[in-house]
Amino acid sequence: NLCTPSLKLLHNILLSTTMSDSAATKRPASATNGFIKHDNDDHQDTKRARLAQIVQDQQLLASQSIPTPHTPKVIQTVRLPDALRKKILITGGAGFVGSHLTDRLMSEGHEVVVLDNFFTGRKANVEHWLHHPNFSLIRHDVIQPILLEVDQIYHLACPASPPHYQYNPVKTIKTSTMGTINMLGLAKRVKARILLASTSEIYGDPEVHPQPETYWGNVNTLGPRSCYDEGKRVAETMMYAYKNQNDVSIRIARIFNTFGPRMHPNDGRVVSNFIIQSLQNKNITIYGDGSQTRSFQYVDDLVNGLTKLMNGNYDSPVNLGNPDEYSIKDFATKIKEFTQSSSEIKFLPKVADDPTQRKPDISTAKRELDWAPCVHVEDGLRKTIKYFRGEVEAAGEIVPTGPDAAKPKGGS
C-alpha cells in the first residue's frame, strides 16, 4: 500500500505529541548502585527522543507529497534558497489543469497558493499537498477582490466545459471579466507577472485552418457558447490594456483541447464522456455525424508550455495544443478499442455552434518557447483510461453529462 509509510508518519506525529503533552506525572525514585535515580529522568529521555523523531518526520513530510487514493504517486519537492523560491498564486488551482500545474511548481520548490471556489475544482485534486509547508489552499471566488503577496499569478479560474459554463452564463462572464480585473489589479499592486489561461474557443468556428494567433476568429456573440468565448476575448483585451496603461507584465496562453487524469468525470467533454461510456459498456454518444475534428494534448505537455511561457520573454498570445488532428468518430473508435468495450457508437443531433474543425498552429510556441507536445495521444489515453477506470470503480456508476447546461455533479 503506497499510502502506508507517509500516513504512518502523520499518525506517529499526532500520537507522539499527544503522549508528550499528557505524560506530566512524576514517578517514584529508585536506587541504583547507591545513586538515587528518578523514573522521571527516563521519561525526559524518552520525550526528547520522541520529539527528535517528530522533527525528523516533519522534515520528511516537508520534502514530498502524501500519497492519497486520488494521487497515489509520491512527488518529491526540492528545497530552494529564498532568492530563487517564488510565491505563486494559481486561481482555479484545484481544477484539472490547475492541480497538475500545482504539482509541477511544488516539485520545483516554490510556495504555491491555490485559490478556488470549488464549482468545478475538487479538493481531492490537491489534498496530497495539504500537509506541506509550501502549500496554501484558499476557498475564494475570483469575482471578489483578494489581497495577497505573490510573485506570479496563473489565472486559470473559469469553467471550461460547455455544459458547466452554460449552467450559469452570467457567472461565467463575471469570472472572465471581473475575475480577470481583480487578478490584474493584484498583479499591478504587487508587481507580479500574470498569465491568463485563454482558449482556442476565441477562434469560434474557424474559417482558417489550422488557426494561428493572428487569426481574429469567427464567433457568434449571441450563441450558447458566447458567455465563455466572448468572456475570454475581453479578458485578453483587459490584459493588454493593463500592460499598455499600467506596465503590468502579462502572458496569454490560448489552450486547445487538453485531457488527462483528474478531468472532472461529469464535465461532458469528448474524452471524459467517451471513456466513461466505454468503460461501462454504454452507448458512445456523438453529437453530429462525427466528421468534426479536434486536436488533443496531454496535460503534462500543457503544463510544460504554461511554465515556459510564464518564465520566458514573449508577451503576445501563444497557442498551446497538439496539432495531431482527429475526427470525433475516429477518436471514439480509438477509445473503444483501448478500453476493449462492447459499446455501440450512436449519432445524435449536432450541438449549436459546435466548431467543425479545430487545430492549432504552434509555430509561435516552437519559435519563442522552444515548446512542442511530447506525449503521444495514444500514450496519454492509456493513462487517462486507467484513471477513469478507478473513478468508475469508486463511484459504482457514472452518468456522463450531455450537451445541455448542467451543474457539476459529485463531491470534491
Side-chain angles (χ1 to χ4, degrees), residues 323-337:
D324 290 344
E325 189 176 12
Y326 295 85
S327 73
I328 294 299
K329 181 179 179 181
D330 289 344
F331 201 69
T333 301
K334 185 180 293 290
I335 290 176
K336 180 180 175 181
E337 292 174 355

PDB file of all heavy atoms in Angstrom, residues 323-337:
ATOM      1  N   PRO A 323      -0.993  19.551 -32.565  1.00  0.00           N
ATOM      2  CA  PRO A 323      -1.516  19.675 -33.934  1.00  0.00           C
ATOM      3  C   PRO A 323      -1.996  18.366 -34.553  1.00  0.00           C
ATOM      4  O   PRO A 323      -2.521  18.388 -35.674  1.00  0.00           O
ATOM      5  CB  PRO A 323      -0.329  20.259 -34.715  1.00  0.00           C
ATOM      6  CG  PRO A 323       0.875  19.875 -33.933  1.00  0.00           C
ATOM      7  CD  PRO A 323       0.454  19.820 -32.497  1.00  0.00           C
ATOM      8  N   ASP A 324      -1.835  17.230 -33.860  1.00  0.00           N
ATOM      9  CA  ASP A 324      -2.394  15.973 -34.384  1.00  0.00           C
ATOM     10  C   ASP A 324      -3.920  16.073 -34.359  1.00  0.00           C
ATOM     11  O   ASP A 324      -4.517  16.280 -33.308  1.00  0.00           O
ATOM     12  CB  ASP A 324      -1.938  14.785 -33.541  1.00  0.00           C
ATOM     13  CG  ASP A 324      -0.447  14.498 -33.716  1.00  0.00           C
ATOM     14  OD1 ASP A 324       0.135  15.010 -34.683  1.00  0.00           O
ATOM     15  OD2 ASP A 324       0.118  13.779 -32.864  1.00  0.00           O
ATOM     16  N   GLU A 325      -4.530  15.882 -35.522  1.00  0.00           N
ATOM     17  CA  GLU A 325      -5.974  16.137 -35.667  1.00  0.00           C
ATOM     18  C   GLU A 325      -6.732  14.825 -35.855  1.00  0.00           C
ATOM     19  O   GLU A 325      -6.297  13.939 -36.586  1.00  0.00           O
ATOM     20  CB  GLU A 325      -6.196  17.058 -36.883  1.00  0.00           C
ATOM     21  CG  GLU A 325      -7.606  17.578 -37.036  1.00  0.00           C
ATOM     22  CD  GLU A 325      -7.706  18.558 -38.201  1.00  0.00           C
ATOM     23  OE1 GLU A 325      -6.736  18.642 -39.006  1.00  0.00           O
ATOM     24  OE2 GLU A 325      -8.736  19.240 -38.309  1.00  0.00           O
ATOM     25  N   TYR A 326      -7.858  14.706 -35.154  1.00  0.00           N
ATOM     26  CA  TYR A 326      -8.693  13.512 -35.238  1.00  0.00           C
ATOM     27  C   TYR A 326     -10.136  13.919 -35.512  1.00  0.00           C
ATOM     28  O   TYR A 326     -10.616  14.926 -34.964  1.00  0.00           O
ATOM     29  CB  TYR A 326      -8.667  12.733 -33.920  1.00  0.00           C
ATOM     30  CG  TYR A 326      -7.337  12.142 -33.537  1.00  0.00           C
ATOM     31  CD1 TYR A 326      -6.395  12.907 -32.846  1.00  0.00           C
ATOM     32  CD2 TYR A 326      -7.013  10.828 -33.858  1.00  0.00           C
ATOM     33  CE1 TYR A 326      -5.168  12.369 -32.478  1.00  0.00           C
ATOM     34  CE2 TYR A 326      -5.791  10.279 -33.494  1.00  0.00           C
ATOM     35  CZ  TYR A 326      -4.877  11.056 -32.805  1.00  0.00           C
ATOM     36  OH  TYR A 326      -3.670  10.533 -32.451  1.00  0.00           O
ATOM     37  N   SER A 327     -10.837  13.112 -36.303  1.00  0.00           N
ATOM     38  CA  SER A 327     -12.280  13.291 -36.361  1.00  0.00           C
ATOM     39  C   SER A 327     -12.861  12.704 -35.075  1.00  0.00           C
ATOM     40  O   SER A 327     -12.290  11.789 -34.472  1.00  0.00           O
ATOM     41  CB  SER A 327     -12.880  12.586 -37.581  1.00  0.00           C
ATOM     42  OG  SER A 327     -12.877  11.170 -37.399  1.00  0.00           O
ATOM     43  N   ILE A 328     -13.982  13.238 -34.656  1.00  0.00           N
ATOM     44  CA  ILE A 328     -14.605  12.770 -33.414  1.00  0.00           C
ATOM     45  C   ILE A 328     -14.979  11.288 -33.533  1.00  0.00           C
ATOM     46  O   ILE A 328     -14.836  10.515 -32.581  1.00  0.00           O
ATOM     47  CB  ILE A 328     -15.838  13.620 -33.079  1.00  0.00           C
ATOM     48  CG1 ILE A 328     -15.414  15.068 -32.765  1.00  0.00           C
ATOM     49  CG2 ILE A 328     -16.601  13.041 -31.907  1.00  0.00           C
ATOM     50  CD1 ILE A 328     -14.486  15.205 -31.587  1.00  0.00           C
ATOM     51  N   LYS A 329     -15.422  10.876 -34.704  1.00  0.00           N
ATOM     52  CA  LYS A 329     -15.786   9.468 -34.903  1.00  0.00           C
ATOM     53  C   LYS A 329     -14.563   8.565 -34.752  1.00  0.00           C
ATOM     54  O   LYS A 329     -14.618   7.530 -34.073  1.00  0.00           O
ATOM     55  CB  LYS A 329     -16.411   9.270 -36.281  1.00  0.00           C
ATOM     56  CG  LYS A 329     -16.849   7.837 -36.549  1.00  0.00           C
ATOM     57  CD  LYS A 329     -17.479   7.696 -37.927  1.00  0.00           C
ATOM     58  CE  LYS A 329     -17.882   6.247 -38.198  1.00  0.00           C
ATOM     59  NZ  LYS A 329     -18.479   6.090 -39.559  1.00  0.00           N
ATOM     60  N   ASP A 330     -13.447   8.944 -35.367  1.00  0.00           N
ATOM     61  CA  ASP A 330     -12.230   8.139 -35.252  1.00  0.00           C
ATOM     62  C   ASP A 330     -11.735   8.095 -33.809  1.00  0.00           C
ATOM     63  O   ASP A 330     -11.233   7.068 -33.338  1.00  0.00           O
ATOM     64  CB  ASP A 330     -11.139   8.701 -36.156  1.00  0.00           C
ATOM     65  CG  ASP A 330     -11.421   8.465 -37.629  1.00  0.00           C
ATOM     66  OD1 ASP A 330     -12.286   7.617 -37.933  1.00  0.00           O
ATOM     67  OD2 ASP A 330     -10.779   9.123 -38.468  1.00  0.00           O
ATOM     68  N   PHE A 331     -11.867   9.207 -33.103  1.00  0.00           N
ATOM     69  CA  PHE A 331     -11.406   9.265 -31.721  1.00  0.00           C
ATOM     70  C   PHE A 331     -12.251   8.348 -30.832  1.00  0.00           C
ATOM     71  O   PHE A 331     -11.724   7.650 -29.957  1.00  0.00           O
ATOM     72  CB  PHE A 331     -11.485  10.707 -31.213  1.00  0.00           C
ATOM     73  CG  PHE A 331     -10.604  10.974 -30.024  1.00  0.00           C
ATOM     74  CD1 PHE A 331      -9.231  10.970 -30.150  1.00  0.00           C
ATOM     75  CD2 PHE A 331     -11.156  11.241 -28.783  1.00  0.00           C
ATOM     76  CE1 PHE A 331      -8.414  11.217 -29.048  1.00  0.00           C
ATOM     77  CE2 PHE A 331     -10.354  11.481 -27.689  1.00  0.00           C
ATOM     78  CZ  PHE A 331      -8.977  11.481 -27.824  1.00  0.00           C
ATOM     79  N   ALA A 332     -13.570   8.326 -31.079  1.00  0.00           N
ATOM     80  CA  ALA A 332     -14.446   7.426 -30.325  1.00  0.00           C
ATOM     81  C   ALA A 332     -14.082   5.970 -30.585  1.00  0.00           C
ATOM     82  O   ALA A 332     -14.061   5.143 -29.663  1.00  0.00           O
ATOM     83  CB  ALA A 332     -15.903   7.691 -30.705  1.00  0.00           C
ATOM     84  N   THR A 333     -13.783   5.654 -31.831  1.00  0.00           N
ATOM     85  CA  THR A 333     -13.400   4.282 -32.181  1.00  0.00           C
ATOM     86  C   THR A 333     -12.102   3.875 -31.489  1.00  0.00           C
ATOM     87  O   THR A 333     -11.966   2.745 -30.997  1.00  0.00           O
ATOM     88  CB  THR A 333     -13.239   4.159 -33.711  1.00  0.00           C
ATOM     89  OG1 THR A 333     -14.471   4.514 -34.345  1.00  0.00           O
ATOM     90  CG2 THR A 333     -12.859   2.747 -34.103  1.00  0.00           C
ATOM     91  N   LYS A 334     -11.150   4.799 -31.434  1.00  0.00           N
ATOM     92  CA  LYS A 334      -9.866   4.518 -30.786  1.00  0.00           C
ATOM     93  C   LYS A 334     -10.073   4.232 -29.297  1.00  0.00           C
ATOM     94  O   LYS A 334      -9.501   3.283 -28.738  1.00  0.00           O
ATOM     95  CB  LYS A 334      -8.919   5.706 -30.979  1.00  0.00           C
ATOM     96  CG  LYS A 334      -7.518   5.469 -30.439  1.00  0.00           C
ATOM     97  CD  LYS A 334      -6.637   6.680 -30.670  1.00  0.00           C
ATOM     98  CE  LYS A 334      -6.376   6.896 -32.133  1.00  0.00           C
ATOM     99  NZ  LYS A 334      -5.477   5.837 -32.678  1.00  0.00           N
ATOM    100  N   ILE A 335     -10.885   5.034 -28.617  1.00  0.00           N
ATOM    101  CA  ILE A 335     -11.139   4.821 -27.186  1.00  0.00           C
ATOM    102  C   ILE A 335     -11.864   3.496 -26.961  1.00  0.00           C
ATOM    103  O   ILE A 335     -11.564   2.757 -26.011  1.00  0.00           O
ATOM    104  CB  ILE A 335     -11.938   5.998 -26.607  1.00  0.00           C
ATOM    105  CG1 ILE A 335     -11.047   7.247 -26.546  1.00  0.00           C
ATOM    106  CG2 ILE A 335     -12.503   5.668 -25.220  1.00  0.00           C
ATOM    107  CD1 ILE A 335     -11.745   8.500 -26.082  1.00  0.00           C
ATOM    108  N   LYS A 336     -12.788   3.174 -27.824  1.00  0.00           N
ATOM    109  CA  LYS A 336     -13.500   1.904 -27.702  1.00  0.00           C
ATOM    110  C   LYS A 336     -12.521   0.732 -27.801  1.00  0.00           C
ATOM    111  O   LYS A 336     -12.623  -0.251 -27.048  1.00  0.00           O
ATOM    112  CB  LYS A 336     -14.572   1.803 -28.798  1.00  0.00           C
ATOM    113  CG  LYS A 336     -15.368   0.507 -28.757  1.00  0.00           C
ATOM    114  CD  LYS A 336     -16.406   0.458 -29.872  1.00  0.00           C
ATOM    115  CE  LYS A 336     -17.122  -0.896 -29.892  1.00  0.00           C
ATOM    116  NZ  LYS A 336     -18.115  -0.974 -30.988  1.00  0.00           N
ATOM    117  N   GLU A 337     -11.566   0.834 -28.710  1.00  0.00           N
ATOM    118  CA  GLU A 337     -10.567  -0.228 -28.864  1.00  0.00           C
ATOM    119  C   GLU A 337      -9.675  -0.322 -27.636  1.00  0.00           C
ATOM    120  O   GLU A 337      -9.384  -1.419 -27.143  1.00  0.00           O
ATOM    121  CB  GLU A 337      -9.724   0.040 -30.113  1.00  0.00           C
ATOM    122  CG  GLU A 337     -10.482  -0.110 -31.419  1.00  0.00           C
ATOM    123  CD  GLU A 337      -9.657   0.309 -32.613  1.00  0.00           C
ATOM    124  OE1 GLU A 337      -8.520   0.802 -32.395  1.00  0.00           O
ATOM    125  OE2 GLU A 337     -10.129   0.167 -33.757  1.00  0.00           O
TER     126      GLU A 337
END
